[in-house]
Amino acid sequence: KANASYTEPLDSFHILLVDYSATYSNNFSSKRTFNSFSNSNVYTDLDSSLTNVFNNQYQSHAGSFGYRYQKTKMNFSVNTAYQLAQLSKQQEIPSSYQMSKSFESILPSAQFQFKFSPKKNLRINYRTSNNAPTIDQLQDVINNTNVLQLSTGNPELKQDFQQNLNMRYSGVNTVKATSFFALLGANYSTNYIGNSTLIANQDTIVYNSVFLKQGSQIIRPVNLDGYFSIRSFINYTFPIKKLKTNLSLNVSGNYNHIPGLINTQINYAKTATSGLGIVLSSNISEKIDFTMSSNSSYSNINNTLQS
């Protein structure tokens, strides 16, 4: 990775931002499976249906332009980047071929911070990003480690597009020795890399040449829309003077909405989780201190196809 940034102040409060970043990664994968001749113990017969050797390269270039306003109590910035990415693949086995894909993205971002006082502030961040598929997700070869649950890659995968929004508030009262922290965040993704699961009701052939026995299944990554998640966390800490301890209480809540395919039908896995945490910590003396904590959570999972 490489990055270069330049800032140009217009005056004491206004700043222009220019940024350039580049990313390059190279991955090599070799999965070879051999069979034996005539049930001998010599495994030299290459099984092309379970073998795949290829090289995968990903490179991206992004240029951005932004503006920042800054004062003592408040600052905010907005930024827009144009990214050009290329995903290249050179396969050697089972057949020799090359493939290249290009992706163009507009990646906006924004940041806001307000200081109510030197010890109380609010921050809001919005950013967008891309994630390229991994080499395992791209590798078009059958993994039959578990004969009842096969898996394979998908060379046609695209990179996803993620949007993240986070809001944080923190405040400290040094006189009362209390602190408060709150977080609320959300993530939304298009072209999310999820799973497509095919379950065989009878012996069948899938993906042109893969034999799937009755009762078994095969999982393949695919691009899907409809993924989002929401998370929240609140923590409050205050002293208990009689015990010479600090008590921290925290509550959390998360919700995930994850798309998937089951026998070509869309399924949404909806998971709601709530949590409660208690921490009692003390520094009674120079020789003795202790911490006691408890964390509990409750989850509810619902699938739209099989409720």
Side-chain angles (χ1 to χ4, degrees):
K1 294 184 178 182
N3 179 265
S5 300
Y6 176 75
T7 60
E8 177 66 29
L10 302 178
D11 55 32
S12 300
F13 306 119
H14 307 273
I15 301 172
L16 293 180
L17 314 168
V18 180
D19 184 89
Y20 168 78
S21 61
T23 301
Y24 175 81
S25 64
N26 185 80
N27 294 279
F28 174 74
S29 179
S30 177
K31 291 186 178 181
R32 301 173 187 260
T33 302
F34 296 89
N35 296 318
S36 64
F37 286 104
S38 301
N39 296 322
S40 67
N41 291 325
V42 180
Y43 290 83
T44 57
D45 180 23
L46 185 68
D47 190 334
S48 60
S49 66
L50 299 175
T51 295
N52 191 263
V53 178
F54 75 98
N55 195 68
N56 186 68
Q57 296 175 349
Y58 178 82
Q59 56 181 317
S60 67
H61 302 271
S64 67
F65 181 79
Y67 163 79
R68 184 173 184 176
Y69 175 81
Q70 183 165 339
K71 278 193 171 183
T72 303
K73 285 192 172 184
M74 182 186 73
N75 70 77
F76 71 87
S77 63
V78 291
N79 193 77
T80 301
Y82 169 76
Q83 178 179 276
L84 178 63
Q86 187 175 47
L87 187 65
S88 303
K89 174 182 176 181
Q90 299 87 36
Q91 180 174 285
E92 301 175 16
I93 301 174
S95 60
S96 178
Y97 80 93
Q98 293 185 352
M99 179 189 70
S100 180
K101 292 182 179 181
S102 296
F103 307 100
E104 294 181 273
S105 302
I106 301 296
L107 303 174
S109 62
Q111 178 181 345
F112 173 82
Q113 181 177 7
F114 186 82
K115 295 181 179 179
F116 300 94
S117 69
K119 297 171 184 177
K120 296 179 180 179
N121 68 83
L122 172 68
R123 294 186 180 186
I124 302 175
N125 290 298
Y126 170 77
R127 67 179 181 88
T128 56
S129 62
N130 294 120
N131 287 317
T134 66
I135 194 167
D136 285 333
Q137 291 171 331
L138 290 168
Q139 194 167 37
D140 191 15
V141 61
I142 299 298
N143 182 341
N144 65 346
T145 304
N146 183 347
V147 295
L148 294 179
Q149 190 176 68
L150 306 178
S151 63
T152 183
N154 181 2
E156 301 300 321
L157 286 176
K158 303 175 183 178
Q159 65 178 5
D160 67 4
F161 177 73
Q162 294 193 19
Q163 300 183 74
N164 290 275
L165 178 64
N166 289 292
M167 294 180 286
R168 299 183 180 186
Y169 173 83
S170 62
V172 177
N173 188 323
T174 53
V175 176
K176 296 182 179 180
T178 62
S179 64
F180 178 81
F181 175 81
L183 166 70
L184 179 63
N187 174 273
Y188 178 78
S189 179
T190 54
N191 279 333
Y192 169 77
I193 300 178
N195 287 327
S196 173
T197 303
L198 296 179
I199 304 171
N201 295 323
Q202 60 185 12
D203 292 354
T204 184
I205 301 294
V206 297
Y207 302 132
N208 297 323
S209 60
V210 180
F211 176 69
L212 200 59
K213 291 184 177 182
Q214 181 181 3
S216 62
Q217 58 183 267
I218 185 169
I219 300 173
R220 187 176 191 241
V222 291
N223 290 111
L224 298 167
D225 291 334
Y227 172 89
F228 68 88
S229 64
I230 301 171
R231 59 195 177 279
S232 61
F233 181 81
I234 297 175
N235 184 87
Y236 180 62
T237 302
F238 59 94
I240 302 177
K241 295 182 179 180
K242 292 183 179 181
L243 300 177
K244 296 183 179 180
T245 62
N246 289 323
L247 180 62
S248 295
L249 303 174
N250 66 76
V251 293
S252 61
N254 301 292
Y255 180 80
N256 293 310
H257 188 269
I258 303 174
L261 291 177
I262 300 178
N263 287 348
T264 70
Q265 288 186 291
I266 189 71
N267 175 70
Y268 293 104
K270 304 175 183 181
T271 304
T273 304
S274 58
L276 173 65
I278 302 174
V279 180
L280 193 64
S281 59
S282 176
N283 235 344
I284 296 177
S285 68
E286 295 180 356
K287 295 183 178 181
I288 298 175
D289 62 70
F290 69 86
T291 300
M292 294 188 296
S293 64
S294 172
N295 290 283
S296 304
S297 65
Y298 175 80
S299 296
N300 182 63
I301 303 172
N302 179 54
N303 289 279
T304 55
L305 278 185
Q306 296 178 336
S307 58

